[in-house]
Amino acid sequence: MRTYEGVTYKGYKLIDLAVEWFRMSNDAFFDVYGFNFNPHQYPGLYEAAQKIVYPDAGGRP
């Protein structure tokens, strides 16, 4: 699985965007960053961010 640690999008690390995407609503994300984002567009990114946000649950909410 790809980590995306060094990969950026619009000047932000993809993994950081994905983690933020999990932590806020789509509207709030757009208000903060000024663009829509979907981690599902990058293979494995959704799952990697999910494990960061929910580490004690094995990556599940």
Side-chain angles (χ1 to χ4, degrees):
M1 178 187 296
R2 191 168 178 185
T3 64
Y4 292 99
E5 281 296 328
V7 182
T8 61
Y9 178 77
K10 296 193 178 197
Y12 301 97
K13 289 183 181 179
L14 275 180
I15 192 66
D16 293 342
L17 289 175
V19 167
E20 288 296 302
W21 181 87
F22 262 101
R23 293 182 173 159
M24 62 179 78
S25 69
N26 286 328
D27 289 341
F29 187 95
F30 185 85
D31 289 344
V32 171
Y33 294 100
F35 57 88
N36 291 314
F37 182 74
N38 182 354
H40 291 286
Q41 294 176 327
Y42 304 90
L45 182 59
Y46 179 92
E47 293 80 7
Q50 190 176 37
K51 288 178 183 178
I52 292 169
V53 175
Y54 304 110
D56 295 333
R60 298 182 190 271

